[in-house]
Amino acid sequence: MENEGDWSCDANDAVQITLVQTGEQKPKTLSSFHPQFTYPIFGDEERIFGYKGLIIRLRFAAHDLRPHVHISYDEKFKPVEDTEALDLLGTLKPWVPEEAFTTLPEYEKAVQEDEDAKNFVPPGKLVHSYVTQDRSYEIWAGSLADPQVRKLLDRAQVFVSLFIEAGTPLETDDPEWTLERWTVYFVYEKVTPPAPTASQYSIVGYATTYRWWYYNRDSSQAPTVSQDTFPAPAVRPGELPSRLRIAQFLILPPHQSSGHGTHLYTTIHSACVDDSTIVELTVEDPNEAFDALRDTTDYHILRPEFLKHSVNINPDPYQAHTKNQRPRLVPTAALIPTKLLHDIRMSYKIAPTQFAHILEMFLLSQIPLKNRHAGGANMARLLVKKHKTENPHERRYYWWRMLIKQRLYKRSRDVLIQLDLTDRIQKLEETVTNVEEGYEGLLQAFTQREDDLKAKEDEEATELAGSTALGKDQRVKRKFTVADEDEDEDEDESEAAAAKKAKV
């Protein structure tokens, strides 16, 4: 006798996503993969009841994401009283455009006879192109107010629910002035068309960003009342000072772990730096994978600037004071060049918290490994001798840990003050160790990345030299015990000024 479990299947296995392209006789499959999540559509348990041998195929044309839903199964559960098979079409309709619900022959005919495919160009403007493993890629950016950008994004919206945990599809029927706040970045591979009428573009991923108005009053000027005309002149969102926030960021599974996320993030950051109305770049609720990508990429961006200015921890902050004049608390500015670092942060438009992470990682990298916890440093001796240890690197390491504790205490003060002093110290020690372990992992990943890039450059140089010679002859963890904050969009210049005066 069968039970209900025999009619239940894993939704992640049942759903199959396929990218197709115009072929010689029928659409050619470029890639096929399963979603990472289906709970937004099919419920928290990600199970589908009522079918055996169920396959839900979500097809997309690789260039313009023309969608299609095709459902097949071996057997369907016959209703028994209130128990019946899940209505698959009714469940999918809120998540997939209406145009997806056509017959398979109609869809294949539309793909094969698409007269616009051959001349298709992604909407928006080409902002970056690059080559990876002898394959060419382009990044295009356009405003969500552009109907073509909006149409392409609407077709891609289901990817948010299938690959971004807790991701929410965008509302694209808002007023135009709201849509103007959004910019969409599409990543495409340029492929060899499998047929004369096929497109040379195949989707790789995309990201969405929006402008968040930033109020920054000049405190040097006294507030005044002005007699402005009414109504006020129309102001477009792009003309106002803003933070730029990354809302969604997705590289499809067939293209992951190939550096496309780094190119996409760097392109967004460069656009942010070049826009005089953008104050800083932030991220909306990033997951751990994106945090790692962002950290290594920002580290790659900021490290040369830190090296140029010889940024490091002063191992002897008491040196300027006699023994009787030593302050009880060491100003942060006595340990690191706070004014210079503030200027660097503003120049590269990195959010304060993110900049602190990158700075801490860099300062750790400037301490020899043998003088760090990961290299077997004598932590017991460091806790006893503290800043009085003879080795300057050990003193830097001691002050480095104090800087981390200062930041964590400021961010988690409301939680920590509820603990007694002994537990508070222990909790901070544990958290600093966890933070350091996360940084060590990122530093290893960064070093490996740099080594791979150098090896690739050396290989390409060798190949070039060989071809030249031939021509003459023949003619590339952040996990905290104390909860650290996400992007703090309310942190402004007054807080930054206060941070300069913070004490360790």
Side-chain angles (χ1 to χ4, degrees):
M1 181 177 178
E2 292 183 323
N3 56 46
E4 291 189 4
D6 297 330
W7 292 94
S8 179
C9 65
D10 188 315
N12 292 340
D13 291 336
V15 176
Q16 181 176 308
I17 302 165
T18 303
L19 296 181
V20 301
Q21 199 173 34
T22 306
E24 291 289 352
Q25 303 296 329
K26 64 178 184 178
K28 176 183 178 182
T29 297
L30 295 183
S31 59
S32 185
F33 46 95
H34 293 280
Q36 188 172 356
F37 313 104
T38 52
Y39 66 85
I41 302 175
F42 297 107
D44 291 342
E45 295 183 0
E46 298 185 322
R47 307 289 298 180
I48 299 175
F49 174 78
Y51 303 88
K52 289 184 178 181
L54 175 65
I55 300 177
I56 302 174
R57 292 184 177 89
L58 299 181
R59 289 185 175 91
F60 296 89
H63 64 294
D64 65 358
L65 297 181
R66 180 194 294 267
H68 179 253
V69 174
H70 182 260
I71 299 172
S72 64
Y73 50 84
D74 297 331
E75 194 173 351
K76 183 176 180 179
F77 182 82
K78 295 180 180 179
V80 177
E81 296 181 351
D82 294 335
T83 303
E84 60 182 0
L86 179 68
D87 178 6
L88 294 174
L89 290 178
T91 302
L92 289 169
K93 280 187 176 180
W95 303 91
V96 183
E98 183 66 30
E99 61 180 324
F101 299 95
T102 61
T103 65
L104 181 58
E106 288 176 331
Y107 178 74
E108 291 187 342
K109 180 180 180 181
V111 172
Q112 285 295 103
E113 298 179 0
D114 183 359
E115 298 179 354
D116 298 326
K118 181 179 180 180
N119 298 319
F120 171 84
V121 175
K125 177 182 178 182
L126 176 63
V127 292
H128 180 57
S129 58
Y130 59 99
V131 176
T132 297
Q133 298 176 348
D134 297 325
R135 297 166 69 173
S136 299
Y137 299 88
E138 295 178 352
I139 299 178
W140 293 70
S143 168
L144 197 54
D146 181 341
Q148 294 303 314
V149 172
R150 193 158 60 251
K151 180 179 180 181
L152 188 58
L153 182 65
D154 283 338
R155 288 174 167 179
Q157 291 274 44
V158 69
F159 291 144
V160 175
S161 302
L162 298 177
F163 293 102
I164 301 178
E165 189 168 10
T168 304
L170 302 183
E171 292 291 339
T172 58
D173 57 355
D174 285 338
E176 183 174 341
W177 71 267
T178 298
L179 297 178
E180 286 180 0
R181 298 169 54 224
W182 291 85
T183 300
V184 186
Y185 292 81
F186 296 105
V187 185
Y188 275 93
E189 179 182 3
K190 296 193 73 174
V191 299
T192 301
T197 58
S199 171
Q200 62 178 330
Y201 285 98
S202 176
I203 192 73
V204 171
Y206 75 96
T208 60
T209 68
Y210 65 94
R211 300 173 66 95
W212 188 266
W213 180 62
Y214 176 79
Y215 176 67
N216 184 24
R217 185 177 67 85
D218 187 351
S219 57
S220 65
Q221 297 181 2
T224 58
V225 176
S226 59
Q227 299 297 329
D228 292 333
T229 59
F230 184 84
V235 179
R236 311 308 301 182
E239 301 171 355
L240 299 173
S242 306
R243 287 183 173 94
L244 189 70
R245 176 168 291 181
I246 297 175
Q248 299 161 333
F249 193 102
L250 172 65
I251 301 298
L252 294 175
H255 300 281
Q256 290 176 2
S257 302
S258 299
H260 303 299
T262 298
H263 280 281
L264 180 54
Y265 176 82
T266 303
T267 299
I268 295 172
H269 178 263
S270 297
C272 178
V273 171
D274 293 340
D275 190 336
S276 60
T277 66
I278 298 295
V279 177
E280 65 188 25
L281 178 63
T282 64
V283 180
E284 183 177 295
D285 194 21
N287 59 24
E288 288 188 16
F290 185 84
D291 275 336
L293 181 150
R294 183 187 182 196
D295 286 345
T296 53
T297 305
D298 283 345
Y299 187 77
H300 180 81
I301 293 170
L302 292 174
R303 183 173 180 268
E305 194 72 12
F306 291 153
L307 290 173
K308 182 175 76 173
H309 293 283
S310 301
V311 173
N312 209 336
I313 296 174
N314 176 16
D316 302 305
Y318 289 125
Q319 197 172 45
H321 305 276
T322 63
K323 187 173 182 179
N324 296 330
Q325 294 177 330
R326 285 181 180 177
R328 187 175 66 87
L329 299 175
V330 177
T332 305
L335 290 170
I336 53 177
T338 52
K339 175 61 170 65
L340 170 65
L341 293 171
H342 176 263
D343 292 342
I344 293 175
R345 184 186 76 77
M346 296 298 291
S347 175
Y348 284 88
K349 302 184 180 181
I350 306 292
T353 300
Q354 175 66 6
F355 186 84
H357 292 312
I358 303 305
L359 174 63
E360 290 164 3
M361 189 161 62
F362 173 79
L363 293 174
L364 180 64
S365 74
Q366 299 305 293
I367 301 170
L369 181 60
K370 66 180 181 179
N371 300 118
R372 301 175 348 218
H373 186 269
N378 191 327
M379 302 302 294
R381 185 180 67 180
L382 188 69
L383 289 173
V384 172
K385 289 198 170 186
K386 300 182 179 179
H387 62 85
K388 297 179 181 178
T389 179
E390 294 81 7
N391 190 311
H393 296 307
E394 291 181 355
R395 295 198 295 276
R396 283 193 177 93
Y397 184 54
Y398 167 78
W399 289 118
W400 181 86
R401 292 178 67 88
M402 292 298 289
L403 286 168
I404 306 299
K405 290 176 185 177
Q406 172 187 248
R407 178 176 64 81
L408 293 175
Y409 183 81
K410 286 167 58 181
R411 296 301 181 187
S412 306
R413 183 178 181 278
D414 292 343
V415 175
L416 291 171
I417 59 175
Q418 299 178 39
L419 305 176
D420 61 45
L421 182 59
T422 302
D423 291 341
R424 192 184 310 164
I425 292 173
Q426 180 181 356
K427 181 64 70 174
L428 278 173
E429 284 291 338
E430 292 173 353
T431 304
V432 170
T433 299
N434 287 339
V435 170
E436 184 176 354
E437 289 175 355
Y439 288 159
E440 292 287 5
L442 289 169
L443 287 171
Q444 289 180 8
F446 176 80
T447 301
Q448 183 62 51
R449 171 186 163 183
E450 294 298 293
D451 291 344
D452 291 345
L453 288 173
K454 187 176 187 305
K456 183 178 179 180
E457 290 174 355
D458 291 343
E459 181 181 349
E460 290 175 348
T462 301
E463 291 176 353
L464 180 60
S467 65
T468 302
L470 185 63
K472 289 181 178 178
D473 293 337
Q474 302 179 351
R475 261 291 129 203
V476 189
K477 166 186 172 182
R478 189 189 298 174
K479 199 178 250 189
F480 303 136
T481 305
V482 175
D484 199 5
E485 86 295 348
D486 291 332
E487 292 298 344
D488 184 359
E489 61 265 27
D490 295 323
E491 185 163 7
D492 56 19
E493 290 303 315
S494 63
E495 290 175 300
K500 296 180 189 178
K501 302 177 182 177
K503 310 293 183 181
V504 179

